[in-house]
Amino acid sequence: MPKFILDGKEIEFEQGQTIIQAAKKSGITIPHFCWHESLSISGNCRVCLVEIEKMPKLAIACSTLAAEGMVVYSESDKALSARNAVMEFELINHPLDCPICDEAGECKLQDYAYSHGNGESRFNEEKAHKDKRVPLGPLVMFDGDRCISCSRCIRFCDEIAKESQLTFIKRGDRVTIVTYPGKQLDNPYSMNVTDICPVGALTSRDFRFKARVWELSSTKSICNGCSRGCNINLEVRNNQVLRLTPRQNDEVNSFWMCDHGRVNTYKFINAEDRVDSPYLRRKGALARSGWDEAFAAASSELKSYSKNEIAFIGSPYATCEDNFILSKFATQIIGTKHMDFIRHFNTSFGDNFLRQGDVTPNSFGAKAVGIFPGKGGLDLDGIIKAVKDGQIKAVYLMEDDMIAFNPELQEIFSKLDLFIVHATNFNKTTELADIVFPASTYAEKHGTIVNSDGRVQRLKPAVATFDVDRALEGMSLSRWDKFGTKFDSWAEGNKRDARSSWRILAGLSGAMGHKYKYGTAEEVFMDIAKSINAFSGLDYEVIGELGAKLKLDSVTKPVIA
Amino acid sequence: MEKIVLPDIKDLHLIDVYIQNGGYTALKKAFSQTPDDIIDQVKKSGLRGRGGAAFFAGLKWSFMPKTSSKPKYLCINGDESEPGSFKDRQILEFNPHQLIEGTLIEAYAIQANAAYIYIRGEYHKWIKLLEKALADAYEYGFVGDKMKEKLGGNYSVNIYVHKGAGAYICGEESALMNSIEGKRGYPRVKPPFPAQNGLWGCPTTINNVETVANVPPIINKGWEWFSKIGEPKHPGTILYGLSGHVNNPGIYELPSGTLLTDLIYKYGGGVPGNKKILCVIPGGSSMPPLRGEQIEGIKMDAESLKAAGTSIGTAGIIVMDEDTDLVQVLARIAKFYYHESCGQCTPCREGTGWMLKLLNRIAKGEGSTHDLDLLISVASNIEGNTICALGEAAAWPVRFMITRFRDYFETCVSREVTIPVANKVHSLRHTEYPLAPIKD
């Protein structure tokens, strides 16, 4: 491999790589604002100016191709003074309103001002002013004063979202960003511009002024908005999820996620209508109960039906571990073959970028771990028909709002003698249920889900419940020195009495006289890996932060309706 | 003295008059030779660009790839916008056919598939004049499909006149190409250069109007003849634009290397009221100015001016007499570059405004010597750090005017240095404090 020298270190590169790319591959970051790995090169910010031997002028590392034997200095006097000069220019007209800026704490300009700035300003004139608080679209707010005109957002719309909606207008220090006439920034991926904006010029209207970012803890997780399984960070304060941000995974979502995933998939976690303990129907109304009482009730109710009168409905929203235990519970303890799960397809949601027509995160996994009818057993349509005909008298439903899915089922399911439901939130389905178990959301449990490409990815608890504490592994917090103290804003807030569905089932089977030996979700997964071919060789470590592929030949891919 | 580009021939702008005076014969002659021969002659003639950088024209043409899977283009830069520069419009008005003929010869030499003449939007009148001349040339069969029939051979090319929309920056070659493509007039990051990646990403050559207008005489009379005119290192005649405090301002076509003092006193008729000269900008407003007492013996060609600490630029000479308020002049020049900075890259976008604000303050009588140092520092921080040469164009006048007229400027500012109380903040650049990695 050819090499060049950067600040005395040998850097390997591939032909066609720029200095900044090759340096990044070798773990060295040359300061930059406008350059972004997956966008075209713009070269406008000039922060990455470096000195190159035998070149008369400084060159920008983002667009200069690395060449064999090239000698580059990013920390020489000339390079540093250019960087300081550029930083000074960036800051003279910047409002320096960090104390009220949402970006503060994760702002490149702020960070670079600390690490590369002069530490003082020689600018004593009036700053240039531009428009503030301009809604560019339903989800993104623009502050012209803060903008450093790096054009990342414009390039994102043109090149990634492939809907040209933003452009520069005017010239010089009057340059600002607007939407094209008659357009707004409303593409399905619009909020990614708030992530790549290196300053607080573009902020999320969903998150604006909700928290200072350093108050948030960040836990690596997976979006549950569709079967793409975009890698995300769950950002939490006081046990409340306040925002989701995309996490880079080149195999799945690169740097991006869609707006639906970002704004529509976390609010139910914090909602008031969470199921906060087991509930039993008494005198026609659901009433709170203890866990043991609920387990005993469910156990004795289930025992009063023959196995062919009971059907199980798994969930593409629940983890592989949850579905695996449900499948085991249904086949081994109850002995029924009537088992399936509901497919949620919305072909108009899918696109040819990230969004998938299967709008659940784990239908692949649910099927792969055994949620399908046994030989001669009933599938979903069969179960519904049998409920209607009265052959099925009891249904055990895990984490799905069946009635919202199909309102016609309300009448049919109200015929059931026994309807046991695991639910995260009260909904149309829980209204019919006889027993409701409080299920943890994807943000409150360990587990795995499988995306539409057959990639197993891990969920970790970012929100604590009575059952599971926050996962420390891979979590980041701006102030670990606060951790566990009374200033740990992570630990405050409402903890709910919810459990992972597999834990609920394990408890229930215990009440039915069958003890499962699993202590943790990881142990459940180890059993999955042992007993299901597609998962063999996998464990939580192998899956890691970026996921691992299932052995695809041994599982049939679910077909989109 | 021979005039090559703007000869004294009445009605030369009319195609019949142009043909009567030997017009379009160079084109015929060129077509009887190979493209490489033409490039070779232009190379040997020593013709240098007249748009500011004085780059060797023939060498530039030779950068075009001989074989290319993509179309090749020729651009002619008529976006004449530099304050003090008004020569190209004389060509458009008085000798447009020589520009058209030069364009055709160059197009043939680089085997261009199309040629564009880009003219600044404010030149309404001159755009019309050129369009008329071009229409006549089409009618006579010198341009377009009829070329093959008229001139023999197998080459034909169309010329398109493209009107700018009023941006100085579009005179920068790559911004000009973006503008033709219908994009924002932002200069491109170089490399790649136009010969590899020009119009629509295709190999492109771009030359100034005056440069191209010199080509037909070179072909007709030979490169040896041309190379003997004026200074050997920058041969030919130059259209000097004389403006400011001179009795006879205007365009003077004279051999390169003409003495600056001759231009001002012999041709320009001297300074009104016989005042002393305070300052001369020799090449358009972006070039470093000279002090009045410096101009004796200075020859007007690229090399001589370089040696004198300035640059030929577009040879637009701005003369300022002893009563000129240089602070106002510099503030006005700074305002121009502030107004025209495209805003793409940081140093120029932010720096031009800062310099203007400082100069306006000094002009109001509120400046201090500290501000002069600051101006030089800001200008130096822009210089060399930008995408295009407009950074230098904006910085040079400020830096050189203040350094060369320091005594003058110091009389315009307070000696009391009031260093503004800076917004002192932490800077961790020189500390060992570990910083978290900065995310993208």
Side-chain angles (χ1 to χ4, degrees), chain A residues 184-220:
Chain A
Q184 49 173 344
L185 179 61
D186 58 359
N187 68 68
Y189 299 92
S190 70
M191 292 177 87
N192 290 298
V193 299
T194 66
D195 301 322
I196 57 173
C197 181
V199 293
L202 296 169
T203 47
S204 154
R205 294 178 75 179
D206 186 53
F207 179 67
R208 256 165 84 80
F209 305 133
K210 275 198 191 158
R212 308 311 322 232
V213 296
W214 55 85
E215 298 169 340
L216 302 170
S217 64
S218 172
T219 306
K220 296 180 172 75

Side-chain angles (χ1 to χ4, degrees), chain A residues 42-59:
Chain A
S42 174
N44 63 46
C45 76
R46 317 305 286 177
V47 173
C48 70
L49 281 167
V50 291
E51 190 180 350
I52 301 172
E53 267 183 17
K54 291 177 197 148
M55 282 203 188
K57 283 165 77 175
L58 299 181

Side-chain angles (χ1 to χ4, degrees), chain A residues 24 32 35-37 42-46 49 57-58 60 63 80-82 84-86 88-90 92-93 96 106 108 111-128 148-149 152 167-175 195-196 243 255, chain B residues 165-169 184 186 189-191 338-354 357-358 361 370-371 373-374 377-379 381-382 384-388 392 418 420-430 435-440:
Chain A
K24 188 167 187 184
H32 58 275
W35 180 75
H36 190 282
E37 235 178 300
S42 174
N44 63 46
C45 76
R46 317 305 286 177
L49 281 167
K57 283 165 77 175
L58 299 181
I60 45 175
S63 84
L80 279 180
S81 78
N84 288 349
V86 172
E88 183 179 38
F89 285 133
E90 296 282 21
I92 59 169
N93 284 316
L96 303 176
E106 54 181 9
K108 270 178 110 71
D111 292 345
Y112 285 168
Y114 273 81
S115 50
H116 305 290
N118 292 326
E120 59 188 44
S121 174
R122 300 185 294 168
F123 184 79
N124 210 27
E125 321 300 319
E126 188 175 344
K127 287 174 188 279
I148 59 166
S149 305
R152 273 183 171 190
T167 184
F168 284 131
I169 53 160
K170 301 189 186 170
R171 292 196 304 223
D173 63 11
R174 287 84 64 211
V175 162
D195 301 322
I196 57 173
R243 69 167 178 181
F255 296 89
Chain B
Y168 172 76
I169 194 60
R184 226 178 126 75
Y186 269 174
V189 174
K190 282 159 268 184
Y338 164 74
H339 184 252
E340 294 296 343
S341 168
C342 76
Q344 184 183 197
C345 71
T346 311
C348 175
R349 178 182 67 233
E350 308 292 341
T352 49
W354 191 359
K357 284 169 184 170
L358 280 165
R361 192 150 55 73
H370 170 262
D371 292 324
D373 296 331
L374 185 54
S377 168
V378 172
N381 281 347
I382 300 175
N385 291 339
T386 53
I387 292 178
C388 79
E392 279 77 18
T418 47
V421 180
N423 306 312
K424 282 265 182 196
V425 295
H426 277 304
S427 175
L428 300 176
R429 184 158 65 82
H430 303 297
L435 288 178
I438 292 164
K439 69 170 204 172
D440 270 301

Side-chain angles (χ1 to χ4, degrees), chain B residues 52-301:
Chain B
F55 193 77
F56 292 93
L59 186 60
K60 193 189 249 186
W61 298 8
S62 70
F63 292 155
M64 287 292 273
K66 297 283 172 251
T67 53
S68 166
S69 57
K70 292 173 174 175
K72 295 189 236 178
Y73 295 108
L74 170 62
C75 287
I76 308 300
N77 189 345
D79 191 64
E80 182 172 63
S81 317
E82 177 91 340
S85 175
F86 45 96
K87 61 190 178 64
D88 293 343
R89 75 174 185 214
Q90 301 295 103
I91 298 171
L92 299 174
E93 182 164 353
F94 296 108
N95 201 0
H97 286 287
Q98 191 162 322
L99 169 64
I100 293 168
E101 191 178 4
T103 304
L104 292 166
I105 295 169
E106 182 176 353
Y108 173 69
I110 63 166
Q111 292 289 298
N113 296 55
Y116 295 83
I117 303 180
Y118 188 101
I119 303 178
R120 71 181 291 202
E122 291 90 336
Y123 277 6
H124 300 291
K125 178 183 157 188
W126 292 274
I127 291 167
K128 288 224 174 75
L129 292 172
L130 179 66
E131 280 174 340
K132 169 73 175 81
L134 188 60
D136 289 344
Y138 263 102
E139 203 183 309
Y140 277 60
F142 291 120
V143 195
D145 295 340
K146 289 189 199 158
M147 281 173 85
K148 290 179 191 168
E149 199 182 314
K150 177 96 182 174
L151 302 161
N154 214 5
Y155 180 76
S156 72
V157 70
N158 281 308
I159 297 178
Y160 304 92
V161 177
H162 192 102
K163 190 173 158 184
Y168 172 76
I169 194 60
C170 289
E172 198 280 340
E173 57 183 25
S174 57
L176 182 148
M177 289 173 201
N178 275 346
S179 174
I180 292 179
E181 289 179 22
K183 296 176 184 155
R184 226 178 126 75
Y186 269 174
R188 298 176 182 169
V189 174
K190 282 159 268 184
F193 293 97
Q196 287 88 49
N197 187 4
L199 264 186
W200 292 290
C202 302
T204 303
T205 294
I206 179 162
N207 285 111
N208 174 257
V209 163
E210 187 188 342
T211 317
V212 181
N214 270 297
V215 172
I218 292 172
I219 301 301
N220 252 339
K221 301 186 182 176
W223 59 267
E224 281 170 302
W225 161 80
F226 185 87
S227 66
K228 286 183 184 123
I229 303 171
E231 281 295 307
K233 284 186 173 169
H234 189 180
T237 60
I238 292 174
L239 300 185
Y240 297 104
L242 203 53
S243 65
H245 296 135
V246 284
N247 281 314
N248 304 317
I251 293 290
Y252 293 88
E253 181 174 0
L254 293 164
S256 65
T258 303
L259 284 173
L260 180 52
T261 44
D262 276 358
L263 270 157
I264 297 170
Y265 292 106
K266 193 168 150 194
Y267 300 96
V271 182
N274 274 327
K275 288 185 192 170
K276 279 199 248 169
I277 293 173
L278 176 64
C279 172
V280 177
I281 304 176
S285 65
S286 62
M287 293 301 142
L290 296 167
R291 288 179 76 106
E293 57 267 33
Q294 254 184 305
I295 62 172
E296 201 65 49
I298 286 184
K299 289 203 263 181
M300 287 294 293
D301 64 87

